[in-house]
Amino acid sequence: MLATLAFSCVGSAFALDDKPPPLPDNKPPEKVLPKSELPVVGADLFDGFEGPDTSIWAFDSADDEAIGQYVEDGATQGKRALKVTLRGKGKKGKIHLRRDLELDLSQASALLLDVTSPAPKLQIALALRSEPGGIFQESSPITLKEGLNRDVRFPLDSATWKNEKSKWQYDGLPVNLKSVARLMLLIFTADEKEGSFVLDNLRIEGETIGRPGSAAKVYREWRPEFDVAPVLPPTASLYEGVQIPLLFHASYKDIFDRTDIACGMSVTTPSGKALDVRGFFAGALSRRESAKLAAGRAPVPPWGPFKEETADPKSKTPPDEKTIIPVWMLRFTPQEIGRYTATFYVRNSSGEIRSVEQSMIVAPEAVTQPGRKGGNVRVSLRDPKQLELSDNAPFYIFGQNVCWTQDWAPYLDKIKAYGGNTCRIWLCPWGLNLELKSDAGSYDLEEARRLDALIEKAEATGVRIIFCFTFHGMTKDFWGDSAYNLANGGPCARPQDFFADRAAKNQFKRLLAYASARWGASPAILSWELINEINIAAYDSEEDVVNWSREMSSYLAAVDTHHHLITNSVNWAGFRPDLWQDSHIDFVSIHSYGPDVASVVYKSFAPFSVIKKPVLLSEFGGGWRATDDLPDKDGARLRAGLWLTACSGSCGTALPWWWDTYIETRHLYPVFTAASHFLVGEDRRERYGEWVQKAFPDGLAVTGVMDAQGARLLVHRPDWTKSPDSRGEAPLTAAALPLELTGVVDGDYHVEFWDTVDGAKFSEADVAAKDGKLTIQLPAHKSEFAVKLNRKEWLRPGIK
């Protein structure tokens, strides 16, 4: 039926100058037409843009927003038209208007629209979302002249559309037109930053069109040949990234299948290690675009799924722009000093080609990018419960989750500004949607380029990335969006099969291999995370989950030449302790939420007190819902989570969730800054292995960790996070309180007291331990505070 439409909040609603539509119980009944009565003969009016009472349009917030108004000036049909006014130059250069509906366009030949453009050479395209499967498809853009453009025509019966079936090239027909669930108008604004578009008179042109056919891929057997000989740079420095294009022609059927087409570099390191550094498919260029890379070589014959189009004598497109050149890239970061030797190779079912052996001399570290400096993050060689960099410098995780956004750059800048070094991200349908939903085992290269930009930003800021490949919801509420779903062309009839089906496992391994080849060379990858909250995914048995994790971690450890850390995450610390006994799982990643932050932290870490691996609270918040933190107006729970974990045996502070509704909205970044001051210069390796706590009768608590020569303690009131409004004006401590520590080495100590609100040291003193006991006076203070206690001369075990 023709549904009544309004501006939906899936995107941002228009700022309308009309009064809102009446409430449903006051609204006159609509005339509901059955689908068969939809007029599609001739060019009949579909939407006259007369106002929100007749159709509901929205700006999709994934793209640039504008101001929407229904106006009389510029209308070409009826009384009003839709005016779309630019709000300056947008980041995307694209305004995305959407209308959700139920529509059968299977007998239509085109949609027509009148468009008034504020400038010449701007463009507009039509996009559709069709069911089943939520298939997105987009017409090739139409260039507008300045002023009124009547009868802008979007054909439905010509091969000028892109979708997954057409490999996102504008050479396919739209599919599933019988069930269109969303109609979208995409306005490309180029460099324009002011002016208005006027849209009116959206019509449907009716002609019977044939069903779209399937285009066969060009394929022929072709033994690999280098189009340009790859060259290893003669010199590099330790932890400096090397990127080398691989241009060759060879036959293959599946561009992302490492067993069908493989390319890379066989490396021998200065210490004698043999490495297989794989290349990855980076995209396709025209011959002209790749002229510099191809060094003027003559056009090569057709190969793989690409084809060299026959030049049309009447075409204005030069032949060089029609020759498609697939480009692979190879990325490598040396992690030893000395002489490397390497040969490049390409192999397929027809054979293999290898380059001559080349060498590269790697000098001591000279990199300046903070995210590369020091090399990879690894488990400390001195302390299995802490982390360090390849150059032996300590690394203590401090940062937050920003698992999805349209632009990570502002977040990474803010994390860097408050002294952070970590950001956790997800691959997910509404964030980085790398896996193509309807092309199992293939990847969206535009999304891959977004990840390239994110990793580059991470290197520039020093904010390292915990890279999570998928999340539990892809086997539950978002199964319809999964590339593993049989309905989308994947291998699994049920979501539970994701963990047990052999084809599904192989498909996930392809993802691991592609990601490790494309981004694994960057030390800015702190760790890989196989799946978010594996324990609440859909599965038939816990054994399936544990076996899947072991198989995937083993495979990833094998294909990741650069050997980054690997983890999983769970939201219940008691789930399958054997999950963490896997030798390829490098650290424990726990998620926990709740207003009693002290209890959350203790229950998260307590089950792992004896495990010889780092433990991280990689998600925490005041509750599972964004609204749970509404009572926490000044970040009391965030503050408690950071300081409690800073005074724990964890390998880092807790990584908070709700980055947008809580941290960003309430501008809580100063809470991080305060905690960062306490962490400056800290080296937790071989220190603070004993969890301690003391509760006072009035609700005051001291919680932290200590060893025989020092302590990190937090003096706090747990009730202040359970109910932040309960704090009132009363100070934390009205008078000094004695605190006795036992089991310490005799000698002189220095104690410091740090305010958790401003992150400043407000008092310090020298104290002495005798007979294994040490007493400090906790000062009277308004807000919660932390205690640093260090023996002035730290005693290491040794022999004299």
Side-chain angles (χ1 to χ4, degrees):
M1 67 178 183
L2 298 178
T4 299
L5 304 174
F7 293 106
S8 115
C9 284
V10 175
S12 298
F14 284 154
L16 293 176
D17 58 353
D18 296 280
K19 64 181 181 181
L23 295 174
D25 55 349
N26 296 327
K27 190 174 180 179
E30 296 178 322
K31 181 181 179 182
V32 179
L33 298 177
K35 290 183 180 179
S36 61
E37 293 183 24
L38 178 66
V40 293
V41 179
D44 289 318
L45 181 67
F46 174 66
D47 196 323
F49 298 97
E50 295 299 317
D53 287 339
T54 60
S55 61
I56 300 178
W57 290 84
F59 287 121
D60 195 303
S61 62
D63 294 295
D64 303 334
E65 294 187 13
I67 298 172
Q69 299 168 295
Y70 291 110
V71 299
E72 295 183 1
D73 187 24
T76 58
Q77 177 279 329
K79 294 183 178 180
R80 294 195 290 180
L82 178 58
K83 182 179 180 181
V84 177
T85 303
L86 301 179
R87 292 180 174 178
K89 183 179 177 181
K91 291 183 179 179
K92 293 289 192 69
K94 180 176 71 175
I95 295 171
H96 179 160
L97 285 162
R98 50 182 281 187
R99 172 179 168 178
D100 291 326
L101 38 64
E102 295 178 13
L103 190 61
D104 181 358
L105 291 177
S106 61
Q107 302 302 307
S109 57
L111 270 71
L112 286 79
L113 178 69
D114 294 343
V115 185
T116 300
S117 174
K121 297 184 180 180
L122 303 182
Q123 294 183 312
I124 189 169
L126 173 70
L128 306 172
R129 194 189 75 183
S130 301
E131 301 296 345
I135 298 170
F136 178 86
Q137 45 202 333
E138 180 182 326
S139 73
S140 59
I142 296 171
T143 302
L144 304 171
K145 66 180 181 179
E146 186 175 3
L148 178 61
N149 297 256
R150 284 193 179 274
D151 302 328
V152 175
R153 188 174 187 274
F154 305 102
L156 299 173
D157 56 356
S158 64
T160 56
W161 288 69
K162 70 175 183 180
N163 48 37
E164 289 187 7
K165 190 170 184 178
S166 72
K167 303 297 184 184
W168 299 108
Q169 303 299 312
Y170 291 111
D171 60 5
L173 289 162
V175 299
N176 292 18
L177 291 178
K178 190 172 182 62
S179 183
V180 175
R182 180 176 297 163
L183 188 149
M184 295 156 276
L185 294 171
L186 309 178
I187 302 172
F188 300 94
T189 56
D191 292 326
E192 293 297 315
K193 58 184 179 180
E194 58 185 12
S196 302
F197 295 82
V198 179
L199 311 177
D200 203 4
N201 201 16
L202 179 60
R203 289 149 288 155
I204 296 176
E205 184 180 88
E207 291 181 8
T208 302
I209 61 174
R211 294 283 179 181
S214 60
K217 292 180 178 179
V218 175
Y219 178 75
R220 59 183 292 183
E221 292 295 325
W222 194 283
R223 185 182 177 86
E225 294 180 29
F226 283 118
D227 192 25
V228 178
V231 178
L232 188 68
T235 60
S237 67
L238 193 66
Y239 312 135
E240 176 187 356
V242 174
Q243 178 168 282
I244 301 167
L246 300 176
L247 290 127
F248 56 84
H249 51 282
S251 59
Y252 44 86
K253 296 177 181 178
D254 187 341
I255 203 163
F256 294 109
D257 185 351
R258 289 159 62 102
T259 64
D260 186 26
I261 180 71
C263 62
M265 179 173 69
S266 298
V267 179
T268 301
T269 72
S271 66
K273 295 178 183 176
L275 305 178
D276 180 15
V277 183
R278 291 295 183 102
F280 62 90
F281 177 60
L285 303 176
S286 72
R287 170 62 68 179
R288 177 162 293 186
E289 289 171 325
S290 62
K292 292 183 180 179
L293 294 177
R297 284 284 301 271
V300 296
W303 65 88
F306 299 93
K307 62 181 180 180
E308 182 176 5
E309 298 181 8
T310 302
D312 182 352
K314 299 180 181 179
S315 173
K316 296 180 180 180
T317 304
D320 277 357
E321 293 187 4
K322 292 193 172 189
T323 304
I324 304 301
I325 305 293
V327 178
W328 274 258
M329 287 288 180
L330 185 147
R331 293 172 177 168
F332 176 63
T333 295
Q335 301 184 63
E336 298 178 23
I337 297 171
R339 182 176 181 268
Y340 288 72
T341 59
T343 58
F344 297 93
Y345 66 85
V346 183
R347 63 173 174 267
N348 64 3
S349 59
S350 300
E352 180 181 75
I353 186 172
R354 284 189 170 266
S355 71
V356 297
E357 185 177 273
Q358 303 176 44
S359 65
M360 176 175 70
I361 303 300
V362 174
E365 182 177 6
V367 297
T368 57
Q369 294 171 299
R372 282 188 169 272
K373 194 168 180 60
N376 289 352
V377 179
R378 70 186 184 193
V379 175
S380 171
L381 303 181
R382 290 165 37 190
D383 183 350
K385 295 182 75 69
Q386 294 296 327
L387 304 174
E388 63 191 15
L389 297 178
S390 298
D391 68 353
N392 296 314
F395 187 88
Y396 189 73
I397 290 173
F398 181 52
Q400 65 184 94
N401 284 277
V402 185
C403 286
W404 58 83
T405 179
Q406 288 301 310
D407 184 5
W408 271 270
Y411 284 102
L412 265 59
D413 285 335
K414 291 172 183 177
I415 294 171
K416 175 187 177 182
Y418 66 60
N421 59 18
T422 301
C423 179
R424 180 169 172 266
I425 70 164
W426 285 6
L427 301 187
C428 61
W430 58 89
L432 289 163
N433 195 20
L434 184 63
E435 290 188 274
L436 289 173
K437 171 181 171 181
S438 298
D439 192 359
S442 296
Y443 310 110
D444 186 329
L445 296 183
E446 286 301 319
E447 293 294 88
R449 283 186 275 272
R450 286 185 66 208
L451 269 164
D452 286 342
L454 169 59
I455 301 304
E456 288 174 9
K457 183 69 175 179
E459 292 178 356
T461 57
V463 178
R464 304 194 187 217
I465 303 298
I466 297 177
F467 187 115
C468 184
F469 287 102
T470 188
F471 77 111
H472 62 278
M474 293 305 291
T475 65
K476 289 187 172 179
D477 295 343
F478 294 90
W479 179 240
D481 291 322
S482 174
Y484 299 82
N485 188 335
L486 185 63
N488 299 328
C492 299
R494 308 177 307 141
Q496 295 91 329
D497 296 336
F498 173 79
F499 290 104
D501 181 81
R502 176 52 50 193
K505 290 180 179 180
N506 289 339
Q507 184 174 323
F508 194 78
K509 288 177 180 178
R510 283 167 66 125
L511 173 63
L512 302 181
Y514 187 81
S516 64
R518 184 153 190 161
W519 301 294
S522 177
I525 295 292
L526 191 161
S527 77
W528 307 114
E529 183 177 332
L530 297 174
I531 181 171
N532 174 78
E533 296 180 359
I534 192 172
N535 62 303
I536 59 172
Y539 48 81
D540 288 325
S541 73
E542 291 180 358
E543 290 300 322
D544 286 346
V545 168
V546 173
N547 291 337
W548 179 90
S549 178
R550 287 174 177 163
E551 184 173 345
M552 295 306 138
S553 66
S554 175
Y555 180 81
L556 181 54
V559 298
D560 179 14
T561 308
H562 295 85
H563 304 302
H564 295 282
L565 299 176
I566 302 172
T567 191
N568 268 311
S569 63
V570 296
N571 73 347
W572 175 43
F575 178 77
R576 293 301 296 246
D578 55 338
L579 184 70
W580 310 110
Q581 293 168 7
D582 177 0
S583 63
H584 297 299
I585 295 294
D586 296 295
F587 67 95
V588 178
S589 184
I590 301 297
H591 299 171
S592 191
Y593 292 76
D596 187 354
V597 180
S599 178
V600 164
V601 172
Y602 179 75
K603 289 179 180 178
S604 297
F605 293 151
F608 304 103
S609 59
V610 297
I611 193 171
K612 297 298 183 182
K613 288 187 178 183
V615 182
L616 179 69
L617 183 55
S618 55
E619 274 188 30
F620 95 99
W624 293 105
R625 301 167 301 179
T627 54
D628 291 335
D629 277 324
L630 287 178
D632 185 17
K633 297 180 175 59
D634 64 352
R637 292 169 181 167
L638 171 63
R639 184 178 300 109
L642 295 177
W643 287 83
L644 280 165
T645 48
C647 295
S648 78
S650 170
C651 63
T653 60
L655 302 183
W657 193 256
W658 306 125
W659 61 91
D660 42 9
T661 59
Y662 178 55
I663 296 170
E664 181 74 17
T665 302
R666 297 191 172 178
H667 192 62
L668 297 179
Y669 296 106
V671 177
F672 290 95
T673 303
S676 74
H677 296 160
F678 184 74
L679 298 172
V680 171
E682 289 281 279
D683 185 349
R684 303 298 180 97
R685 293 173 294 183
E686 302 178 286
R687 299 301 309 271
Y688 317 122
E690 191 73 25
W691 183 282
V692 293
Q693 49 188 331
K694 177 179 176 62
F696 292 85
D698 65 348
L700 186 73
V702 178
T703 304
V705 285
M706 62 177 290
D707 58 20
Q709 301 184 73
R712 297 293 183 265
L713 308 171
L714 183 67
V715 184
H716 63 114
R717 291 187 182 273
D719 286 345
W720 282 10
T721 64
K722 295 177 189 176
S723 178
D725 291 339
S726 69
R727 286 173 289 177
E729 297 298 324
L732 177 79
T733 52
L737 292 170
L739 183 71
E740 184 180 89
L741 283 72
T742 61
V744 295
V745 175
D746 289 356
D748 295 329
Y749 287 75
H750 185 72
V751 61
E752 301 174 351
F753 302 97
W754 290 72
D755 186 279
T756 63
V757 174
D758 60 17
K761 180 174 61 177
F762 64 87
S763 181
E764 58 187 320
D766 290 327
V767 292
K770 185 178 180 181
D771 299 328
K773 298 179 180 179
L774 183 151
T775 300
I776 60 177
Q777 295 293 322
L778 301 178
H781 195 65
K782 176 177 176 55
S783 56
E784 296 174 323
F785 61 89
V787 179
K788 277 187 180 182
L789 177 70
N790 290 309
R791 195 174 191 276
K792 289 186 176 181
E793 183 182 358
W794 188 39
L795 298 178
R796 283 185 175 274
I799 298 176
K800 289 186 178 180

